[in-house]
Amino acid sequence: DGSVSKEEFTKRIAEVDSASKAVTEAICARVNSALRREGKTVDELFQALAGVKDAVHWPDFRSLFASLEPTLREEQLEHLWRCFDTDGDGGISREEFRKALSTVGITPPAPRITQPSAASSELALQEVCQRIGEALRRQGQTVDKLFDALAAGRMEVRWPDFRDFFAQLEPSLKEVD
């Protein structure tokens, strides 16, 4: 009907957030598995990435993670980076690094993550929803508050408001007929 109820809005954000967490856990499990195969610890991996610096930066992170687990796609590496850099400052501290990899624990290797053939728009949607969820958490906000702001006192978000919000947030998203 051209609108999204609060229940639909909250459910979809939660579904995407849950799927995003599953992908992150699968990637971290694969990295942990690669570390075990190589006989390395999380601290040794951090040190190899950071060198004498207090933080790991994207080029080193990308290079080492791609070599540890060559099956990771670029978007998985970028997603992993954002999950590790929890404060969004452009560097991953030792504590952020430990916390990100230890949340998975020692688990058996996860199944391979494959991109469905017609899923590029779904991946874009998941990426945007994940970024919204992360931004809300960083600012101590909730999906309900976002919905209320978009709904402007109504019981539903209307398409023009939804479209305009997401177009501002992610200009690369295109409206599809």
Side-chain angles (χ1 to χ4, degrees):
D1 68 353
S3 63
V4 179
S5 71
K6 189 171 194 171
E7 181 181 339
E8 292 168 321
F9 187 83
T10 304
K11 182 180 175 188
R12 182 61 179 156
I13 294 287
E15 286 171 358
V16 170
D17 195 39
S18 176
S20 176
K21 286 177 186 174
V23 168
T24 300
E25 287 180 12
I27 291 169
C28 287
R30 289 166 63 185
V31 169
N32 278 325
S33 178
L35 284 172
R36 284 192 305 277
R37 278 194 316 268
E38 299 290 323
K40 305 280 185 198
T41 67
V42 170
D43 280 330
E44 288 172 322
L45 179 57
F46 179 86
Q47 195 61 47
L49 288 166
V52 297
K53 299 174 283 199
D54 291 336
V56 173
H57 296 282
W58 170 247
D60 299 322
F61 179 91
R62 189 210 171 286
S63 177
L64 190 59
F65 272 71
S67 69
L68 273 175
E69 191 55 66
T71 61
L72 292 176
R73 295 185 315 270
E74 188 70 18
E75 61 267 17
Q76 290 173 313
L77 289 165
E78 290 169 0
H79 171 80
L80 189 61
W81 169 262
R82 286 188 301 280
C83 291
F84 276 58
D85 184 17
T86 56
D87 61 8
D89 68 353
I92 300 169
S93 69
R94 184 179 296 272
E95 186 58 33
E96 286 174 314
F97 196 78
R98 279 186 190 143
K99 186 175 180 182
L101 281 175
S102 68
T103 58
V104 176
I106 304 299
T107 58
R112 296 273 184 232
I113 302 166
T114 57
Q115 180 177 352
S117 58
S120 62
S121 62
E122 181 66 20
L123 286 174
L125 174 64
Q126 287 180 356
E127 176 73 18
V128 170
C129 289
Q130 175 200 355
R131 287 175 32 206
I132 290 168
E134 290 169 358
L136 290 172
R137 281 188 289 279
R138 274 195 308 272
Q139 296 186 10
Q141 299 298 323
T142 65
V143 173
D144 285 342
K145 287 183 180 179
L146 174 59
F147 178 88
D148 292 343
L150 289 171
R154 297 182 301 268
M155 297 300 294
E156 62 201 21
V157 174
R158 296 202 174 124
W159 172 244
D161 299 325
F162 185 86
R163 180 192 58 223
D164 293 347
F165 172 76
F166 280 91
Q168 282 184 325
L169 182 70
E170 188 57 53
S172 68
L173 292 178
K174 303 288 185 227
E175 191 171 340
V176 180
D177 294 326

